[in-house]
Every structure is written in C-alpha cells, then in structure tokens.
C-alpha cells in the first residue's frame, strides 16, 4: 500500500486493498495501523483478536453483526466520513460471519488501549505511540534489598533463600 510520505495510508489505498489487509492479518504479517487522508491518522485497522483481548466488546457499542470485506470496500469512505463527524461505531468484519478485523477511530483505539488523548491540535498516530522512558526527577536507584522490602516478607524470604543457595554453591 502506498502512503503520501507521512507513513499514513490513504482511505482509498485501504479501500482498494481490503482483501489484502485481511489476508495479511490472517498470516500475522500486519500489525494494527492507522489510515486517513491528508497524511492524518483518522481510523485504525486491527485484528479482532486484539480488539477482543483488550475488552473491546465490553467497551464499545459496535455495528451489529460481522460485515464482509466487500461491504468494507463499498462503505469505507462513508465510514471515515462518520469518524470525522464523531458518529462512528466500530465495525467488525471478516469472511463467512467470522470476526477477523476491526475498523475504529483513532480516539476509540486509544480508549481501547487505555492511552491518553494527545493535546488538542496534536496529530498523533496511536499505533506508533512512543512513551517517555526517562526517569522522573524524583526517581532514584533502588537496591535489590529495598525492592524486596517494598514487595513484602515473602519476597524478602525468597531473596534470602537465593542468597543462601548462591553462597553454598561457591
């Protein structure tokens, strides 16, 4: 699939390759990805397994039933228009009524994962989110003993046993 240089596939690119996307999901070769027009992530495609594993069925009212790839092909432009209008329910699709993939808005995908929304005006692809990993100003190194103490007496007992075994093996 082509992109416009932003790394975000266009709605038309996805529409033209709906069956290919489903086949790549089946083979485990495609991770969730965003798509939209103008290089802006507007919608996300992900596997139904990921949707289900993250509790999507209990978190969202979704379009009833399982639509076919042909329906996605025919209705994708209208689906993205509904996403832009803020009136979109996730759509489950696959072959023979078997749920295999999900289309949802980027905001719904963030909600599914439990991520925060970016600040207003920030264009962010939630499928490529990068998390800050640097220590907080109040962070400090901890020793194994301090960590074990925080974990409680059972962890301290296990640590003592490990140390005794280590001492006896030398």
């Amino acid at each position: 699939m082509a992109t416009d240089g932003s790394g975000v596939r266009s709605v038309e690119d996805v529409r033209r390759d709906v069956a290919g996307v489903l086949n790549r999901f089946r083979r485990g070769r495609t991770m969730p990805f965003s798509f939209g027009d103008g290089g802006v992530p507007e919608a996300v495609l992900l596997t139904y397994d990921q949707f289900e594993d993250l509790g999507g069925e209990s978190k969202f009212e979704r379009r009833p039933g399982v639509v076919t790839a042909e329906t996605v092909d025919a209705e994708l432009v209208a689906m993205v228009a509904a996403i832009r209008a803020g009136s979109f329910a996730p759509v489950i699709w696959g072959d023979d009524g078997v749920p295999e993939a999900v289309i949802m808005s980027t905001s719904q995908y963030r909600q599914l994962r439990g991520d925060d929304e970016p600040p207003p005006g920030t264009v962010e692809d939630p499928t490529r989110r990068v998390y800050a990993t640097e220590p907080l100003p109040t962070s400090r190194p901890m020793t194994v003993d301090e960590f074990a103490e925080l974990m409680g007496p059972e962890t301290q007992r296990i640590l003592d046993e490990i140390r005794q075994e280590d001492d006896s093996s030398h």
Side-chain angles (χ1 to χ4, degrees), residues 143-159:
T143 66
V144 171
D145 291 308
E146 289 173 311
F147 184 74
E149 185 179 329
L150 287 172
M151 296 300 292
E154 180 65 16
T155 304
Q156 288 175 315
R157 184 187 61 75
I158 293 170
L159 180 59

PDB file of all heavy atoms in Angstrom, residues 143-159:
ATOM      1  N   THR A 143      18.166  -0.601  45.521  1.00  0.00           N
ATOM      2  CA  THR A 143      18.902  -1.855  45.673  1.00  0.00           C
ATOM      3  C   THR A 143      17.885  -2.999  45.639  1.00  0.00           C
ATOM      4  O   THR A 143      16.674  -2.797  45.829  1.00  0.00           O
ATOM      5  CB  THR A 143      19.661  -1.899  47.003  1.00  0.00           C
ATOM      6  OG1 THR A 143      18.711  -1.926  48.071  1.00  0.00           O
ATOM      7  CG2 THR A 143      20.611  -0.696  47.148  1.00  0.00           C
ATOM      8  N   VAL A 144      18.395  -4.190  45.442  1.00  0.00           N
ATOM      9  CA  VAL A 144      17.536  -5.374  45.458  1.00  0.00           C
ATOM     10  C   VAL A 144      16.884  -5.510  46.835  1.00  0.00           C
ATOM     11  O   VAL A 144      15.710  -5.865  46.941  1.00  0.00           O
ATOM     12  CB  VAL A 144      18.350  -6.639  45.086  1.00  0.00           C
ATOM     13  CG1 VAL A 144      17.533  -7.893  45.302  1.00  0.00           C
ATOM     14  CG2 VAL A 144      18.836  -6.554  43.665  1.00  0.00           C
ATOM     15  N   ASP A 145      17.622  -5.200  47.872  1.00  0.00           N
ATOM     16  CA  ASP A 145      17.066  -5.301  49.230  1.00  0.00           C
ATOM     17  C   ASP A 145      15.907  -4.324  49.435  1.00  0.00           C
ATOM     18  O   ASP A 145      14.897  -4.679  50.054  1.00  0.00           O
ATOM     19  CB  ASP A 145      18.157  -5.059  50.281  1.00  0.00           C
ATOM     20  CG  ASP A 145      19.178  -6.188  50.309  1.00  0.00           C
ATOM     21  OD1 ASP A 145      18.750  -7.353  50.411  1.00  0.00           O
ATOM     22  OD2 ASP A 145      20.381  -5.889  50.214  1.00  0.00           O
ATOM     23  N   GLU A 146      16.049  -3.113  48.927  1.00  0.00           N
ATOM     24  CA  GLU A 146      14.961  -2.136  49.050  1.00  0.00           C
ATOM     25  C   GLU A 146      13.722  -2.600  48.281  1.00  0.00           C
ATOM     26  O   GLU A 146      12.594  -2.470  48.762  1.00  0.00           O
ATOM     27  CB  GLU A 146      15.403  -0.766  48.521  1.00  0.00           C
ATOM     28  CG  GLU A 146      16.412  -0.051  49.394  1.00  0.00           C
ATOM     29  CD  GLU A 146      16.941   1.206  48.746  1.00  0.00           C
ATOM     30  OE1 GLU A 146      17.341   1.149  47.562  1.00  0.00           O
ATOM     31  OE2 GLU A 146      16.952   2.252  49.427  1.00  0.00           O
ATOM     32  N   PHE A 147      13.969  -3.127  47.101  1.00  0.00           N
ATOM     33  CA  PHE A 147      12.856  -3.624  46.296  1.00  0.00           C
ATOM     34  C   PHE A 147      12.152  -4.775  47.011  1.00  0.00           C
ATOM     35  O   PHE A 147      10.917  -4.811  47.104  1.00  0.00           O
ATOM     36  CB  PHE A 147      13.367  -4.063  44.917  1.00  0.00           C
ATOM     37  CG  PHE A 147      12.283  -4.495  43.993  1.00  0.00           C
ATOM     38  CD1 PHE A 147      11.436  -3.577  43.403  1.00  0.00           C
ATOM     39  CD2 PHE A 147      12.089  -5.837  43.720  1.00  0.00           C
ATOM     40  CE1 PHE A 147      10.419  -3.973  42.552  1.00  0.00           C
ATOM     41  CE2 PHE A 147      11.072  -6.248  42.873  1.00  0.00           C
ATOM     42  CZ  PHE A 147      10.230  -5.317  42.290  1.00  0.00           C
ATOM     43  N   ALA A 148      12.908  -5.713  47.536  1.00  0.00           N
ATOM     44  CA  ALA A 148      12.337  -6.849  48.257  1.00  0.00           C
ATOM     45  C   ALA A 148      11.544  -6.376  49.475  1.00  0.00           C
ATOM     46  O   ALA A 148      10.470  -6.904  49.779  1.00  0.00           O
ATOM     47  CB  ALA A 148      13.433  -7.828  48.674  1.00  0.00           C
ATOM     48  N   GLU A 149      12.053  -5.367  50.158  1.00  0.00           N
ATOM     49  CA  GLU A 149      11.345  -4.827  51.316  1.00  0.00           C
ATOM     50  C   GLU A 149       9.992  -4.251  50.915  1.00  0.00           C
ATOM     51  O   GLU A 149       8.985  -4.454  51.599  1.00  0.00           O
ATOM     52  CB  GLU A 149      12.204  -3.754  51.984  1.00  0.00           C
ATOM     53  CG  GLU A 149      11.611  -3.209  53.269  1.00  0.00           C
ATOM     54  CD  GLU A 149      12.511  -2.160  53.913  1.00  0.00           C
ATOM     55  OE1 GLU A 149      13.748  -2.256  53.763  1.00  0.00           O
ATOM     56  OE2 GLU A 149      11.961  -1.242  54.556  1.00  0.00           O
ATOM     57  N   LEU A 150       9.967  -3.539  49.801  1.00  0.00           N
ATOM     58  CA  LEU A 150       8.700  -2.989  49.305  1.00  0.00           C
ATOM     59  C   LEU A 150       7.713  -4.087  48.913  1.00  0.00           C
ATOM     60  O   LEU A 150       6.505  -3.932  49.064  1.00  0.00           O
ATOM     61  CB  LEU A 150       8.938  -2.082  48.090  1.00  0.00           C
ATOM     62  CG  LEU A 150       9.558  -0.731  48.364  1.00  0.00           C
ATOM     63  CD1 LEU A 150       9.897  -0.039  47.039  1.00  0.00           C
ATOM     64  CD2 LEU A 150       8.605   0.129  49.173  1.00  0.00           C
ATOM     65  N   MET A 151       8.235  -5.205  48.413  1.00  0.00           N
ATOM     66  CA  MET A 151       7.375  -6.295  47.955  1.00  0.00           C
ATOM     67  C   MET A 151       6.812  -7.114  49.116  1.00  0.00           C
ATOM     68  O   MET A 151       5.831  -7.825  48.938  1.00  0.00           O
ATOM     69  CB  MET A 151       8.147  -7.209  46.994  1.00  0.00           C
ATOM     70  CG  MET A 151       8.574  -6.524  45.703  1.00  0.00           C
ATOM     71  SD  MET A 151       7.197  -5.888  44.729  1.00  0.00           S
ATOM     72  CE  MET A 151       6.441  -7.408  44.233  1.00  0.00           C
ATOM     73  N   GLY A 152       7.436  -7.048  50.268  1.00  0.00           N
ATOM     74  CA  GLY A 152       6.881  -7.731  51.426  1.00  0.00           C
ATOM     75  C   GLY A 152       7.729  -8.891  51.916  1.00  0.00           C
ATOM     76  O   GLY A 152       8.759  -9.245  51.331  1.00  0.00           O
ATOM     77  N   PRO A 153       7.272  -9.515  53.007  1.00  0.00           N
ATOM     78  CA  PRO A 153       8.061 -10.558  53.668  1.00  0.00           C
ATOM     79  C   PRO A 153       8.324 -11.788  52.793  1.00  0.00           C
ATOM     80  O   PRO A 153       9.395 -12.380  52.862  1.00  0.00           O
ATOM     81  CB  PRO A 153       7.227 -10.949  54.891  1.00  0.00           C
ATOM     82  CG  PRO A 153       6.076 -10.030  54.943  1.00  0.00           C
ATOM     83  CD  PRO A 153       6.071  -9.176  53.732  1.00  0.00           C
ATOM     84  N   GLU A 154       7.357 -12.184  51.977  1.00  0.00           N
ATOM     85  CA  GLU A 154       7.555 -13.366  51.126  1.00  0.00           C
ATOM     86  C   GLU A 154       8.705 -13.132  50.149  1.00  0.00           C
ATOM     87  O   GLU A 154       9.545 -14.005  49.946  1.00  0.00           O
ATOM     88  CB  GLU A 154       6.264 -13.704  50.375  1.00  0.00           C
ATOM     89  CG  GLU A 154       6.371 -14.903  49.465  1.00  0.00           C
ATOM     90  CD  GLU A 154       6.617 -16.223  50.201  1.00  0.00           C
ATOM     91  OE1 GLU A 154       6.419 -16.303  51.425  1.00  0.00           O
ATOM     92  OE2 GLU A 154       7.018 -17.188  49.521  1.00  0.00           O
ATOM     93  N   THR A 155       8.760 -11.957  49.544  1.00  0.00           N
ATOM     94  CA  THR A 155       9.834 -11.637  48.605  1.00  0.00           C
ATOM     95  C   THR A 155      11.171 -11.578  49.338  1.00  0.00           C
ATOM     96  O   THR A 155      12.191 -12.052  48.819  1.00  0.00           O
ATOM     97  CB  THR A 155       9.548 -10.302  47.891  1.00  0.00           C
ATOM     98  OG1 THR A 155       8.294 -10.387  47.253  1.00  0.00           O
ATOM     99  CG2 THR A 155      10.625  -9.977  46.872  1.00  0.00           C
ATOM    100  N   GLN A 156      11.178 -11.037  50.542  1.00  0.00           N
ATOM    101  CA  GLN A 156      12.417 -10.992  51.323  1.00  0.00           C
ATOM    102  C   GLN A 156      12.893 -12.411  51.641  1.00  0.00           C
ATOM    103  O   GLN A 156      14.087 -12.702  51.570  1.00  0.00           O
ATOM    104  CB  GLN A 156      12.208 -10.203  52.610  1.00  0.00           C
ATOM    105  CG  GLN A 156      12.063  -8.716  52.357  1.00  0.00           C
ATOM    106  CD  GLN A 156      11.738  -7.953  53.626  1.00  0.00           C
ATOM    107  OE1 GLN A 156      10.886  -8.354  54.409  1.00  0.00           O
ATOM    108  NE2 GLN A 156      12.430  -6.837  53.811  1.00  0.00           N
ATOM    109  N   ARG A 157      11.965 -13.296  51.985  1.00  0.00           N
ATOM    110  CA  ARG A 157      12.317 -14.688  52.288  1.00  0.00           C
ATOM    111  C   ARG A 157      12.922 -15.366  51.058  1.00  0.00           C
ATOM    112  O   ARG A 157      13.959 -16.026  51.142  1.00  0.00           O
ATOM    113  CB  ARG A 157      11.079 -15.459  52.755  1.00  0.00           C
ATOM    114  CG  ARG A 157      11.381 -16.894  53.191  1.00  0.00           C
ATOM    115  CD  ARG A 157      10.131 -17.698  53.485  1.00  0.00           C
ATOM    116  NE  ARG A 157       9.253 -17.836  52.336  1.00  0.00           N
ATOM    117  CZ  ARG A 157       9.490 -18.651  51.284  1.00  0.00           C
ATOM    118  NH1 ARG A 157      10.580 -19.380  51.239  1.00  0.00           N
ATOM    119  NH2 ARG A 157       8.638 -18.721  50.290  1.00  0.00           N
ATOM    120  N   ILE A 158      12.316 -15.157  49.884  1.00  0.00           N
ATOM    121  CA  ILE A 158      12.826 -15.756  48.641  1.00  0.00           C
ATOM    122  C   ILE A 158      14.218 -15.218  48.327  1.00  0.00           C
ATOM    123  O   ILE A 158      15.110 -15.973  47.944  1.00  0.00           O
ATOM    124  CB  ILE A 158      11.841 -15.510  47.476  1.00  0.00           C
ATOM    125  CG1 ILE A 158      10.541 -16.277  47.724  1.00  0.00           C
ATOM    126  CG2 ILE A 158      12.460 -15.888  46.141  1.00  0.00           C
ATOM    127  CD1 ILE A 158       9.412 -15.911  46.765  1.00  0.00           C
ATOM    128  N   LEU A 159      14.408 -13.917  48.495  1.00  0.00           N
ATOM    129  CA  LEU A 159      15.725 -13.320  48.249  1.00  0.00           C
ATOM    130  C   LEU A 159      16.770 -13.930  49.178  1.00  0.00           C
ATOM    131  O   LEU A 159      17.878 -14.257  48.745  1.00  0.00           O
ATOM    132  CB  LEU A 159      15.662 -11.803  48.410  1.00  0.00           C
ATOM    133  CG  LEU A 159      16.963 -11.041  48.172  1.00  0.00           C
ATOM    134  CD1 LEU A 159      17.499 -11.279  46.763  1.00  0.00           C
ATOM    135  CD2 LEU A 159      16.749  -9.547  48.423  1.00  0.00           C
TER     136      LEU A 159
END
